[in-house]
């Protein structure tokens, strides 16, 4: 064939985008009731126009876990931070799942090539509660308190509580003390002694906590109060103490 008349060559460049990836942090976490999420992002993807991502946030039980903020958003950048106030209205820990889906962009900055989704799982503790029995009592001088406990709270790890003893007149009452990290199967037995001739009041402020994976108290719950009155040792004085009669 005759190739004496060679024309002008042209070149086409084709860029092949990488599969978009995004990494959310933290991947897993446990939050207290009414905490705010703080999910941040990084990406190893280097595409021609950058990447954006969409997300959905789905509680397992929407009637028990309320999300303050949008649960579906699009076109976020990797410098975004997802902040949601999470409110657990139940007595049981709740789960919410975030799915983040990245995509590369076309020449018009529209999402084009869908990448690999990343998932974040968050657990939200309930507000810890403790129920003392009884919540009010009157005992004799030198008697023992006999306060038992139950709790409706089902946390990821468990619940314990601290007890603060507050007498109205510390100089008139002895035998009380503060207690930390009490468990719901414990019994508060404190022998209370009054040196007064008047009934004495002591209040026990009981504050429950959920526990983290290291066994440490984490999320402070709802305090309750037990009121105990300690009767004085009854005394009577006969008059006259001595006498001579006919």
């Amino acid at each position: 064939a005759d190739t004496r008349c060679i024309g002008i060559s042209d070149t086409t460049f084709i860029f092949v985008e990488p599969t978009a990836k995004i990494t959310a942090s933290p991947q897993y976490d446990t939050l207290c009731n009414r905490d705010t999420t703080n999910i941040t992002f990084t990406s190893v993807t280097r595409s021609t126009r950058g990447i954006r991502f969409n997300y959905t946030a789905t509680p397992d039980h929407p009637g028990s876990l309320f999300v303050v903020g949008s649960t579906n958003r699009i076109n976020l950048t990797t410098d975004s931070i997802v902040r949601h106030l999470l409110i657990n209205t139940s007595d049981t820990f709740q789960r919410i799942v975030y799915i983040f889906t990245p995509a590369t962009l076309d020449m018009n900055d529209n999402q084009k090539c869908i990448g690999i989704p990343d998932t974040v799982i968050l657990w939200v503790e309930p507000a810890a509660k403790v129920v003392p029995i009884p919540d009010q009592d009157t005992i004799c001088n030198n008697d023992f308190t006999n306060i038992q406990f139950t709790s409706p709270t089902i946390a990821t790890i468990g619940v314990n509580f601290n007890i603060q003893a507050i007498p109205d007149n510390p100089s008139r009452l002895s035998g009380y003390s503060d207690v930390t990290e009490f468990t719901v199967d414990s019994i508060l037995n404190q022998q209370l002694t009054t040196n007064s001739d008047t009934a004495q009041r002591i209040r026990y402020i009981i504050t429950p906590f959920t526990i983290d994976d290291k066994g440490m108290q984490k999320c402070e719950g709802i305090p309750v109060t037990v009121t105990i009155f300690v009767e004085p040792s009854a005394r009577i004085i006969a008059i006259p103490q001595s006498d001579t009669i006919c």
Side-chain angles (χ1 to χ4, degrees):
D2 191 345
T3 58
R4 286 177 296 175
C5 301
I6 297 175
I8 301 171
S9 55
D10 194 14
T11 302
T12 297
F13 293 95
I14 296 177
F15 292 90
V16 181
E17 297 284 28
T19 301
K21 299 175 184 176
I22 190 169
T23 301
S25 180
Q27 293 279 288
Y28 300 91
D29 202 4
T30 300
L31 304 180
C32 298
N33 184 36
R34 304 190 72 88
D35 271 0
T36 298
T37 63
N38 187 52
I39 304 173
T40 59
F41 307 91
T42 58
S43 177
V44 297
T45 303
R46 298 295 178 263
S47 63
T48 56
R49 304 285 295 180
I51 68 168
R52 303 263 178 89
F53 65 92
N54 309 330
Y55 76 77
T56 61
T58 308
D60 288 349
H61 302 99
S64 298
L65 184 63
F66 292 90
V67 181
V68 179
S70 175
T71 56
N72 295 274
R73 291 189 63 187
I74 62 173
N75 286 328
L76 276 75
T77 57
T78 54
D79 60 354
S80 302
I81 300 176
V82 174
R83 292 189 173 98
H84 284 150
L85 174 65
L86 302 179
I87 303 173
N88 184 354
T89 61
S90 76
D91 288 318
T92 303
F93 62 90
Q94 299 292 323
R95 187 182 76 155
I96 183 170
V97 178
Y98 289 82
I99 297 177
F100 302 95
T101 304
T104 59
L105 305 178
D106 64 17
M107 298 299 292
N108 297 314
D109 284 340
N110 296 315
Q111 293 184 9
K112 182 178 182 181
C113 304
I114 303 301
I116 302 172
D118 193 30
T119 300
V120 168
I121 296 177
L122 300 179
W123 302 93
V124 184
E125 299 283 25
K129 299 175 184 175
V130 64
V131 180
I133 303 170
D135 60 3
Q136 184 167 319
D137 200 7
T138 300
I139 63 175
C140 298
N141 190 25
N142 294 312
D143 272 1
F144 286 84
T145 62
N146 185 37
I147 304 171
Q148 303 180 47
F149 305 93
T150 62
S151 176
T153 303
I154 302 174
T156 54
I157 304 294
V159 173
N160 66 24
F161 50 93
N162 299 339
I163 301 174
Q164 183 182 15
I166 306 175
D168 288 352
N169 300 293
S171 64
R172 296 296 188 179
L173 196 65
S174 62
Y176 60 87
S177 62
D178 295 344
V179 182
T180 59
E181 298 184 353
F182 230 44
T183 56
V184 292
D185 58 353
S186 303
I187 298 175
L188 183 65
N189 273 317
Q190 294 190 345
Q191 187 177 23
L192 300 180
T193 301
T194 176
N195 59 10
S196 171
D197 289 318
T198 305
Q200 296 297 311
R201 186 182 74 162
I202 183 171
R203 291 175 297 127
Y204 290 99
I205 309 299
I206 304 160
T207 305
F209 294 83
T210 61
I211 303 169
D212 65 17
D213 58 358
K214 298 178 179 61
M216 305 296 291
Q217 292 179 342
K218 182 178 181 182
C219 304
E220 183 174 334
I222 302 170
V224 294
T225 301
V226 171
T227 302
I228 303 291
F229 290 91
V230 182
E231 297 283 24
S233 294
R235 297 194 294 170
I236 189 170
I237 300 174
I239 300 175
Q241 290 287 289
S242 62
D243 199 3
T244 302
I245 62 174
C246 294

